[in-house]
Amino acid sequence: MNSRHDPRLKAFASDNYAGVHPEILQAIVTANGGHQISYGDDVYTEAMREVFKQHFGEQAQAWPVFNGTAANVVSLRSMTAPWEAVICAETAHINTDEGGAPEVAGGIKLLPVPTPDGKLTPELIDRQAWGFGDVHRAQPKVVSISNTTELGTVYTPDEIAAICAHAHELGLRVHLDGSRITNAAAALDVPLRALTTDAGVDVLSFGGTKIGLLYGEAVVVLDPAAASGVDYIRKTYMQLSSKMRFVSAQFEALLSGDLWLRSARHANAMGRRLAEAVRGIPGVELPREVEANAVFAVLPKDVADRLRKRFRFYTWNEATGEVRWMCAFDTTEQDVDAFAAALAQEMAAS
């Protein structure tokens, strides 16, 4: 069967646009033969749980789910009672890009905080960490951070440790939305646990799709006392996969060796290459430092509209003309150079 698209064409809209890493596809093929017990009682899911423990500690418990929104909602629901709330950055994915799922599906009140760079600090958390014991206010219970953030910034282990220490002192738990946790770890050249377990994070949403999986994310409980009922919540929220071996085999392939690191390092390197390639183009402004695989730029609207006909990408802020370009594990140097050349042509013609 012929492909319905030109596989030579690449986009810079999202790392979700990328296909499946060949090593992940091979893992799915390997898991495909014969029959295995359904709903997670298979040998691949058992192996996946052990691989997560190798990265995050013996206490870590992992539950595969279908997508990132579900990972966040299941995580946060397992950490909160119906009267409790979650403090997050105003730009957090759970607040801006999940269609209200935490509130609608999870029944979870979000308490957003404006931030200059998408990152919370102990001082910013205090803006919403109040009203304890006030029956008229949703009770703060969880601080949720994203690494990398929606603005492409990266939390260091020390920054996360400071947040966790402050939150725990207030009686709050910490959730980390790690849809791009691999990119953050690769950018800092630290183990995954340095940004999570060792820093004091209680529950992690581990992202797989953006780093080469066909589909699949995972809820990873790092402190068993911080969450309860994940098994039941996952089922209630329609995230229990009957053929779970195919999700679990992907995670085992991603994490049992260095595939996650190779893929993340490459995506980050392409982000840096893209930034350098467009930095000198007259009229192009890069308002943010490139810390992982996201590049933000400010362009004239007509240039962005014309360039988008050749390479798909999204406008981040219509008012300022800021756009976002994402690099993926399969972005090549040739892709980046072609995009930069096309941008230079459009800017010159503007």
Side-chain angles (χ1 to χ4, degrees):
M1 179 179 178
N2 294 327
S3 175
R4 293 186 180 275
H5 75 287
D6 185 346
R8 297 170 299 177
L9 297 180
K10 299 289 180 65
F12 291 84
S14 172
D15 31 11
N16 284 325
Y17 275 44
V20 183
H21 194 286
E23 293 178 42
I24 299 296
L25 279 177
Q26 184 55 55
I28 295 172
V29 171
T30 300
N32 191 44
H35 287 201
Q36 275 288 301
I37 304 173
S38 57
Y39 298 110
D41 290 327
D42 58 275
V43 295
Y44 295 94
T45 301
E46 180 181 358
M48 176 275 300
R49 294 190 182 108
E50 291 304 312
V51 169
F52 270 100
K53 287 182 178 181
Q54 291 171 18
H55 282 281
F56 298 103
E58 282 298 316
Q59 82 297 334
Q61 299 173 325
W63 286 269
V65 294
F66 290 114
N67 56 56
T69 296
N72 287 333
V73 173
V74 171
S75 294
L76 295 173
R77 180 72 285 165
S78 72
M79 302 173 75
T80 56
W83 57 88
E84 292 174 333
V86 175
I87 299 170
C88 63
E90 191 173 57
T91 54
H93 201 271
I94 58 174
N95 189 50
T96 61
D97 287 298
E98 294 187 341
E103 297 95 337
V104 175
I108 302 164
K109 172 67 175 177
L110 299 180
L111 302 172
V113 180
T115 70
D117 57 1
K119 295 162 70 172
L120 289 177
T121 64
E123 294 74 23
L124 290 174
I125 289 168
D126 285 343
R127 295 187 182 182
Q128 289 285 15
W130 56 271
F132 298 103
D134 182 354
V135 73
H136 299 285
R137 176 170 166 79
Q139 296 293 284
K141 182 60 179 180
V142 174
V143 174
S144 181
I145 61 175
S146 305
N147 206 16
T148 63
T149 73
E150 284 64 37
L151 298 181
T153 47
V154 175
Y155 283 97
T156 66
D158 287 345
E159 288 172 328
I160 298 176
I163 287 172
C164 292
H166 186 67
H168 293 160
E169 185 177 351
L170 295 172
L172 307 177
R173 292 293 190 171
V174 178
H175 163 259
L176 194 153
D177 178 349
S179 65
R180 295 186 177 96
I181 187 69
T182 53
N183 297 95
L188 297 172
D189 195 24
V190 298
L192 292 166
R193 65 175 295 151
L195 297 172
T196 51
T197 308
D198 294 346
V201 171
D202 297 301
V203 178
L204 165 69
S205 297
F206 188 94
T209 309
K210 291 178 172 63
I211 200 65
L213 268 63
L214 173 62
Y215 69 99
E217 320 286 306
V219 174
V220 188
V221 176
L222 304 174
D223 182 353
S228 61
V230 177
D231 272 334
Y232 304 101
I233 295 169
R234 179 176 62 168
K235 176 62 174 178
T236 301
Y237 287 15
M238 299 167 284
Q239 292 296 313
L240 179 63
S241 173
S242 57
K243 296 185 179 182
M244 197 179 297
R245 60 169 151 159
F246 298 110
V247 188
S248 300
Q250 295 179 75
F251 277 118
E252 184 185 6
L254 181 71
L255 294 172
S256 60
D258 67 346
L259 177 57
W260 70 272
L261 185 58
R262 283 187 280 123
S263 298
R265 280 178 173 168
H266 178 79
N268 292 353
M270 293 303 98
R272 293 191 300 271
R273 183 183 183 93
L274 177 58
E276 289 304 312
V278 304
R279 196 182 302 277
I281 299 175
V284 176
E285 177 188 351
L286 299 184
R288 309 178 195 277
E289 289 298 318
V290 177
E291 298 185 19
N293 63 324
V295 179
F296 290 82
V298 176
L299 307 176
K301 185 179 185 302
D302 62 322
V303 171
D305 289 342
R306 291 198 306 269
L307 184 59
R308 228 187 310 266
K309 295 178 181 179
R310 302 165 70 176
F311 299 89
R312 285 190 62 88
F313 59 89
Y314 296 120
T315 296
W316 188 258
N317 188 325
E318 292 284 354
T320 63
E322 187 174 13
V323 300
R324 187 192 71 170
W325 301 320
M326 297 298 303
C327 295
F329 76 89
D330 63 347
T331 304
T332 67
E333 293 181 355
Q334 291 75 20
D335 297 330
V336 169
D337 295 346
F339 180 82
L343 173 59
Q345 292 173 1
E346 296 297 350
M347 287 297 297
S350 179

